[in-house]
Amino acid sequence: MSKWARLFIEAKKNKHAYVLMAPYFIIFGTFTIVPVLLSLVLSFTNYNLLEAPKWIGWQNFARLFVQDDIFLIAIKNTFLFAAITGPVSYMACFLFAWLINELQPKLRAFLTLVLYAPSIAGNTYLIWQLLFASDSYGYANSFLMKWGFILEPIQWLQDPRFVLGILILVQLWLSLGTAFLAFIAGLQNVDRTLYEAGSIDGIRNRWQELWFITLPAMRPQLMFGAVIQISSAFSVAEISIYLIGFPSVDYSAHTIVTHLVDYGSIRFEMGYASAIATVLFSIMLGANLLTQKLLAKVGD
């Protein structure tokens, strides 16, 4: 019997399961797979929404990497932003979840809500705009002037020297979100008998317990958290637009997504915007594959 014949028989045997999963696959394919494939095709065209797409081959990508100096600034800012916020926020999520997991249930639930609150709070940018206001009434300027560190207010959100650092700080503050909750759930579901078996096998301290038992048992949650953090780190745009403004001074807070917004939503150069989206998708896909390889080594 051929492979396809066995596959058909197996599918026929589980037809009820495929029927139940069909609505999800239809929605996922319509709103995720089709747009990605469509964007990939449009990236090789010149398309402005008013005229039919015109095939131009690799010209959009050549323009991105050879002629578009702003895109190179956006790539530098995005990689710098992701290299700092991605690993730091990922480790912070797990560290806080691990520490909180050892507390009593009521105290654990309260601290979980407190740490998760920033990611669901609305209008959080107003808090940071007040903190880093450019006049002497801003909390940061007021504090530094009161203690004699500066003589006049600093233009925190208009000075290219401070803009990216403030964005990284805000993103780290917001980072204890979905991944943090996934880690809490993963730690709660680790089989306690594994720790007893590990103790018999020679595990002597909490670090060995963490590396050889807890982390391998949490691989699905670790992978889920990594995907969430990578996506958040590479797709930052909203913070930059609402906190710094668009475009930022000297493009100091310009990222790949803000560049995509510029060409897709303002200039309506959809072919060029699709090329930017394709580059971003490739970067995120590569980062996810690298993370999968690193997580596969956990517990070895």
Side-chain angles (χ1 to χ4, degrees):
M1 185 181 296
S2 69
K3 177 182 176 182
W4 292 107
R6 288 198 303 271
L7 185 63
F8 177 76
I9 293 173
E10 192 68 23
K12 189 176 180 181
K13 187 190 303 180
N14 299 302
K15 59 183 178 183
H16 297 94
Y18 288 109
V19 170
L20 291 174
M21 289 189 296
Y24 167 77
F25 282 115
I26 292 173
I27 295 174
F28 180 74
T30 303
F31 295 102
T32 302
I33 296 178
V34 171
V36 169
L37 296 177
L38 189 60
S39 175
L40 179 62
V41 173
L42 287 177
S43 67
F44 294 97
T45 67
N46 183 13
Y47 181 43
N48 59 9
L49 289 179
L50 299 177
E51 300 172 331
K54 181 181 178 183
W55 186 266
I56 57 174
W58 294 93
Q59 288 185 25
N60 283 329
F61 295 96
R63 177 184 168 191
L64 266 179
F65 291 102
V66 177
Q67 300 177 352
D68 193 345
D69 295 334
I70 307 303
F71 180 69
L72 298 181
I73 295 175
I75 282 191
K76 183 198 70 175
N77 289 339
T78 303
F79 271 95
L80 182 61
F81 191 91
I84 297 175
T85 62
V88 172
S89 61
Y90 185 73
M91 288 187 286
C93 284
F94 183 82
L95 180 62
F96 283 117
W98 188 47
L99 293 175
I100 288 174
N101 186 58
E102 303 295 328
L103 302 177
Q104 295 296 322
K106 290 184 178 178
L107 182 58
R108 181 172 63 234
F110 173 73
L111 290 178
T112 301
L113 178 62
V114 169
L115 291 172
Y116 184 64
S119 64
I120 58 176
N123 297 325
T124 54
Y125 308 117
L126 295 176
I127 301 172
W128 293 95
Q129 285 175 340
L130 180 62
L131 180 62
F132 291 106
S134 300
D135 53 29
S136 59
Y137 294 101
Y139 290 149
N141 280 331
S142 176
F143 176 82
L144 293 175
M145 292 176 69
K146 179 180 180 180
W147 291 96
F149 291 105
I150 58 176
L151 298 177
E152 57 184 17
I154 296 175
Q155 307 293 314
W156 295 104
L157 302 179
Q158 286 79 39
D159 193 328
R161 295 176 299 170
F162 304 112
V163 166
L164 197 59
I166 291 174
L167 285 183
I168 290 172
L169 180 64
V170 176
Q171 178 63 27
L172 289 176
W173 183 70
L174 292 169
S175 63
L176 294 178
T178 308
F180 170 70
L181 293 183
F183 292 159
I184 288 281
L187 287 166
Q188 288 291 304
N189 289 320
V190 175
D191 189 351
R192 299 297 164 187
T193 59
L194 293 176
Y195 296 112
E196 298 174 5
S199 178
I200 296 173
D201 288 341
I203 289 180
R204 301 301 179 194
N205 55 55
R206 295 299 302 275
W207 295 110
Q208 291 181 343
E209 190 178 86
L210 174 66
W211 181 254
F212 291 110
I213 297 177
T214 305
L215 291 178
M218 288 182 57
R219 276 203 180 102
Q221 290 81 14
L222 292 175
M223 189 63 225
F224 175 77
V227 171
I228 294 294
Q229 295 304 107
I230 289 172
S231 302
S232 301
F234 280 106
S235 61
V236 62
E238 188 179 1
I239 301 174
S240 173
I241 293 173
Y242 286 105
L243 188 62
I244 309 299
F246 182 77
S248 55
V249 180
D250 292 338
Y251 295 98
S252 54
H254 207 62
T255 64
I256 296 177
V257 177
T258 55
H259 205 57
L260 173 63
V261 171
D262 186 8
Y263 280 91
S265 302
I266 298 176
R267 309 188 194 202
F268 295 107
E269 296 185 27
M270 302 307 292
Y272 194 66
S274 296
I276 298 172
T278 301
V279 171
L280 179 61
F281 179 76
S282 302
I283 293 172
M284 295 174 71
L285 185 63
N288 276 303
L289 292 175
L290 177 63
T291 303
Q292 285 184 29
K293 288 188 177 180
L294 293 176
L295 288 179
K297 298 181 182 296
V298 170
D300 290 343

